[in-house]
Amino acid sequence: MATFLYKLGRLSFRRRHFVALIWVALLTLAGVGAASAPAAGNSSFSIPGTEAQKAFDLLEQRFPGTSADGATARVVFKAPSGEKMTDPGNKATVKETVKELSDGSEVVRVTDPYQAKAVSKDGTIAYAQVSYKVSGMELDDAAKDALKDSAQDAREAGLTVEIGGDALQAVPHTGSSEIIGIAVAAVVLVITFGSLVAAGLPLLTALIGVGIGVSAITGLASALDLGSTTSTLAMMIGLAVGIDYALFIVSRYRAELAEGREREEAAGRAVGTAGSAVVFAGLTVVIALVGLSVVNIPMLTKMGIAAAGTVAIAVLIALTMVPALLGYAGRKVKPMGEKGKLLGRAKKKDQPAKPNLGTRWASFVVRRPVAVLLLGVIGLGAAAVPATSLELGLPDDGSQPTSTTQRRAYDLLSEGFGPGFNGPLMVVVDAKGSDDPKAVFAETGDEIKGLKDVVTVTPAQPNKAGDTATITVIPGSKPSSVTTENLVHGIRDAGAGIKADTGANVLVTGSTAMNIDVSEKLNDALVPYLVLVVGLAFLLLIVVFRSILVPLKAALGFLLSVMAALGAVVAVFQWGWLSGLMGVEQTGPVMSMMPIFMVGVVFGLAMDYEVFLVTRMREAYVHGEKPAQAVVTGFRHGARVVTAAAVIMMAVFAGFIGSSESMVKMIGFGLAIAVFFDAFVVRMAIVPAVLALLGRKAWWLPKWLDRALPNVDVEGEGLRTASDDDRELARV
């Protein structure tokens, strides 16, 4: 592989105009496609195989034309102090608002609070529910404006009016903090390279790669039913790995220049060595992201595949466009050790080289491996303690900031009708095979009334055929509580008994039941997913490092960092530690997708640093250095650039903490803290300590396996002859 990539690097350096033209053309094509593509609607959220999804599909079949997947809005009214919603003046205002709401072309129906008995017992709060033909993201601006205007008219009449539901759903924004993350990355690159040109190369190539990836996702969003979070995730990961991959190749290029090689030769060797590490690091990230498809949640699968595609583009750009731009930069990118005039720290020719910080740190770890190993493991273990209290759920209006009308409507409904009112359960009774459907409907309602934590059970509402009915159940506790989860299971257990007696199917759905089913499905898929992803990456790393213990150590180190990161997420988003600093206005359960998502993404990113750092160590070991000295050599060449890469990745991820979308905010924080733990504790401390303790055993591989494995030559051993073979170069 190293020889092939070496040739590719030299070809890209020499044919830089052609390579740059190809990537600019791809960027332009993707941009035009994104601009001309139809606007994407709200990504459908389906969970195949779950009871909640089966009930939803049954509703679509048995209650046609009800727009079960359409947007809804709850317009909540509160009377002024000392008044009630039943007072004539307030009642007239509500009636007029309901009339205004009914005029919209996309409105299916509007419930009158007084006819639907949607007035609180104390008479101070009422609500009208608006159902639309299309989803919240597909709802046109005129319909949203009409909804807001109707509420404003009621406010001017003296009522407090807030709007809940998904009708006002908007595309999330990330805020200026995302730009700050890129700015931090730029500063780190300037400090690392001491040159604006060298620092600009990774940023430019990463932005081009992300531009192509995100534009392609935007162009295909409508056709493939991709949500807004898909492009955000692709941007987040694409920026991080794109900068890092280019950083490693530019850094190796400067190291090759420092050894006296010509620029074209240096570019070829940089791509042949560091580029090999980029390929395998990218493969681990792609495996982890594509592996999310085993969970069988379409939205998660699409997010993973889209992000994986962006990572693949980042790898290709690093291998081709980076050497092409190095050809354009010429002598403006200086050899390693020459900081140039920018930072004023250029090394004099006769000045002896001092051990850098990476060398000094590695030497210390090699001398004190047990102490460093214990300190690192204990520290990560302490950070992981909060993860034992992990509670999972999906965000609803209750997790919105208190400044939003959705959150205020949520609180008003809780005040007037109880906390469970915001998470009603819909029970679907399929009595098509029953002799007496009406009796089955009545029996089901009676069974549910006898369960704990049930406040209200509405009469069954049958369809036109009379063989299927819906029953709405209002729990006594809030949607994300364990008590509500127990109630869902209680209704399903009762439904199993009804089916045994009558043959009718009783299914529970609704957003609350769907959230519970999602959490359970994700929990069930976590172990198989972990085995699949870690197993495939383990085999890949055996090929890269030609060792058994090094990949095993890499996987165990990852488990430490991901558990510590989950502990930090629980502490901030569930317990509320530093929540003000992170902009978390409402604590609550951690997003259900977070554990499995972090396992996938963090594993891929963790292996990046493992590959980049340890391949340098193996390269030194293969070239004859003793194991302990190889660790120090690896840090001398790789610690600075790995540190810079980790800081850049943390800055990019942390930039998404400013997002208005709670899921994006949590993912940004979780990935940033995970990179910190993995890069600076696991890879910079635990890894060299373990390798120092293992010695030559770290690189042990059974002879039969050594013969069976392909030789990918990540260390670039084959380049010693390839670089001098003019005939080979003539064929490139």
Side-chain angles (χ1 to χ4, degrees):
M1 174 177 284
T3 303
F4 169 75
L5 293 178
Y6 164 81
K7 295 176 182 178
L8 179 63
R10 294 199 64 169
L11 178 64
S12 299
F13 186 95
R14 194 164 55 249
R15 301 285 187 264
R16 62 187 74 101
H17 303 308
F18 181 68
V19 172
L21 181 63
I22 288 177
W23 284 113
V24 170
L26 287 175
L27 178 62
T28 303
L29 184 64
V32 171
S36 59
N42 188 28
S43 179
S44 59
F45 188 80
S46 62
I47 315 295
T50 61
E51 180 173 317
Q53 185 64 46
K54 291 176 182 176
F56 185 83
D57 295 340
L58 185 64
L59 284 174
E60 291 284 329
Q61 178 185 349
R62 302 288 175 84
F63 292 83
T66 57
S67 300
D69 59 345
T72 59
R74 278 181 171 176
V75 182
V76 188
F77 307 90
K78 184 175 182 180
S81 179
E83 298 182 18
K84 292 187 177 183
M85 291 305 304
T86 52
D87 292 346
N90 295 332
K91 193 171 183 178
T93 300
V94 172
K95 291 279 189 182
E96 182 62 29
T97 303
V98 169
K99 183 179 178 182
E100 291 180 15
L101 292 171
S102 302
D103 293 337
S105 59
E106 295 182 322
V107 174
V108 176
R109 61 184 174 277
V110 181
T111 61
D112 186 313
Y114 304 102
Q115 295 179 3
K117 299 181 180 179
V119 181
S120 62
K121 291 182 179 179
D122 62 5
T124 60
I125 297 174
Y127 73 91
Q129 181 152 315
V130 187
S131 300
Y132 293 90
K133 298 177 182 178
V134 297
S135 65
M137 294 295 287
E138 296 171 319
L139 203 60
D140 62 32
D141 292 338
K144 293 181 179 181
D145 291 340
L147 180 61
K148 294 175 183 177
D149 292 343
S150 298
Q152 185 59 37
D153 291 341
R155 290 191 189 103
E156 292 173 357
L159 298 177
T160 298
V161 187
E162 304 296 346
I163 305 171
D166 60 352
L168 295 183
Q169 186 176 1
V171 176
H173 62 274
T174 54
S176 60
S177 55
E178 178 188 344
I179 306 300
I180 295 174
I182 297 176
V184 171
V187 172
V188 172
L189 288 169
V190 170
I191 295 174
T192 302
F193 292 133
S195 163
L196 288 175
V197 174
L201 291 182
L203 279 176
L204 177 61
T205 55
L207 289 173
I208 290 174
V210 167
I212 294 173
V214 172
S215 296
I217 292 170
T218 303
L220 297 172
S222 179
L224 300 182
D225 191 26
L226 304 178
S228 58
T229 308
T230 304
S231 58
T232 304
L233 174 66
M235 181 189 302
M236 185 189 301
I237 296 178
L239 269 178
V241 301
I243 294 173
D244 279 7
Y245 294 166
L247 166 64
F248 282 110
I249 291 179
V250 173
S251 178
R252 186 60 183 254
Y253 171 76
R254 295 176 69 237
E256 296 293 337
L257 289 179
E259 293 182 10
R261 292 187 172 85
E262 294 296 325
R263 294 187 177 273
E264 183 177 329
E265 173 71 9
R269 285 181 172 268
V271 176
T273 52
S276 297
V278 165
V279 169
F280 283 101
L283 273 176
T284 59
V285 180
V286 169
I287 287 172
L289 290 170
V290 174
L292 290 170
S293 59
V294 303
V295 184
N296 196 26
I297 295 180
M299 185 183 76
L300 195 59
T301 299
K302 292 171 185 176
M303 289 171 63
I305 293 176
T310 308
V311 172
I313 293 172
V315 172
L316 292 174
I317 282 186
L319 297 177
T320 57
M321 193 167 186
V322 168
L325 292 180
L326 289 172
Y328 283 117
R331 298 186 180 278
K332 293 180 181 179
V333 177
K334 299 180 180 297
M336 186 170 288
E338 296 184 21
K339 292 291 181 180
K341 298 179 181 180
L342 182 62
L343 298 181
R345 290 181 359 202
K347 188 183 75 173
K348 297 178 181 178
K349 291 184 178 180
D350 299 331
Q351 182 179 348
K354 296 181 180 179
N356 59 23
L357 182 60
T359 302
R360 296 196 299 271
W361 169 250
S363 300
F364 170 77
V365 174
V366 168
R367 291 195 306 270
R368 300 284 188 273
V370 176
V372 172
L373 178 61
L374 289 177
L375 186 61
V377 171
I378 292 172
L380 290 179
V385 169
T388 59
S389 301
L390 178 66
E391 295 178 8
L392 299 176
L394 289 177
D396 56 17
D397 284 347
S399 61
Q400 296 266 15
T402 53
S403 58
T404 63
T405 186
Q406 291 94 329
R407 172 59 189 280
R408 291 196 293 264
Y410 182 97
D411 291 340
L412 282 177
L413 289 171
S414 296
E415 176 188 340
F417 301 93
F421 193 80
N422 284 293
L425 306 175
M426 179 175 287
V427 179
V428 182
V429 185
D430 179 8
K432 193 171 185 177
S434 175
D435 295 332
D436 190 354
K438 290 185 179 180
V440 174
F441 301 154
E443 180 184 349
T444 303
D446 292 339
E447 285 282 345
I448 296 173
K449 289 177 183 177
L451 298 176
K452 293 181 180 179
D453 198 46
V454 173
V455 174
T456 305
V457 178
T458 65
Q461 301 293 322
N463 62 349
K464 291 182 179 179
D467 57 8
T468 307
T470 60
I471 300 173
T472 302
V473 181
I474 305 297
S477 50
K478 62 181 182 179
S480 58
S481 68
V482 177
T483 308
T484 301
E485 182 177 348
N486 292 336
L487 175 59
V488 170
H489 291 302
I491 296 174
R492 288 173 175 170
D493 291 340
I498 293 172
K499 183 176 182 179
D501 295 338
T502 66
N505 283 324
V506 178
L507 306 173
V508 185
T509 189
S511 60
T512 301
M514 185 72 81
N515 291 352
I516 292 170
D517 287 351
V518 169
S519 298
E520 292 179 352
K521 185 162 188 174
L522 289 168
N523 287 338
D524 293 341
L526 182 58
V527 173
Y529 172 71
L530 191 61
V531 171
L532 173 69
V533 172
V534 176
L536 288 175
F538 181 78
L539 295 176
L540 185 66
L541 292 178
I542 289 178
V543 174
V544 174
F545 296 127
R546 308 194 77 78
S547 163
I548 297 294
L549 296 179
V550 171
L552 180 61
K553 171 262 310 168
L556 294 176
F558 149 74
L559 291 176
L560 279 174
S561 58
V562 78
M563 288 302 298
L566 275 176
V569 169
V570 170
V572 173
F573 290 88
Q574 188 175 310
W575 291 0
W577 294 5
L578 302 177
S579 57
L581 181 64
M582 299 296 166
V584 181
E585 296 189 25
Q586 180 65 32
T587 59
V590 173
M591 182 184 63
S592 299
M593 295 183 185
M594 199 65 186
I596 200 166
F597 185 81
M598 285 189 66
V599 164
V601 177
V602 174
F603 181 79
L605 299 179
M607 294 306 103
D608 277 6
Y609 302 116
E610 181 75 15
V611 170
F612 290 131
L613 196 59
V614 181
T615 48
R616 268 293 196 169
M617 298 178 190
R618 174 160 179 80
E619 185 177 340
Y621 178 76
V622 168
H623 292 164
E625 293 189 9
K626 294 181 178 180
Q629 183 57 39
V631 171
V632 177
T633 300
F635 266 76
R636 181 172 70 249
H637 292 293
R640 180 183 180 88
V641 70
V642 167
T643 300
V647 172
I648 288 169
M649 196 171 280
M650 288 168 55
V652 172
F653 288 150
F656 288 84
I657 296 175
S659 173
S660 62
E661 179 73 28
S662 60
M663 183 170 74
V664 174
K665 181 190 292 285
M666 190 178 294
I667 289 174
F669 171 80
L671 294 183
I673 198 69
V675 168
F676 172 78
F677 287 143
D678 196 86
F680 294 106
V681 182
V682 174
R683 310 301 153 190
M684 291 289 187
I686 293 178
V687 165
V690 171
L691 291 178
L693 289 171
L694 290 175
R696 294 185 183 275
K697 295 178 182 177
W699 308 107
W700 171 79
L701 186 70
K703 291 183 179 179
W704 64 268
L705 185 57
D706 188 37
R707 290 192 299 268
L709 291 177
N711 183 15
V712 296
D713 189 23
V714 178
E715 300 82 19
E717 188 69 21
L719 299 184
R720 294 191 170 197
T721 56
S723 62
D724 299 323
D725 194 340
D726 294 335
R727 286 172 298 180
E728 276 292 311
L729 295 180
R731 283 198 292 264
V732 176

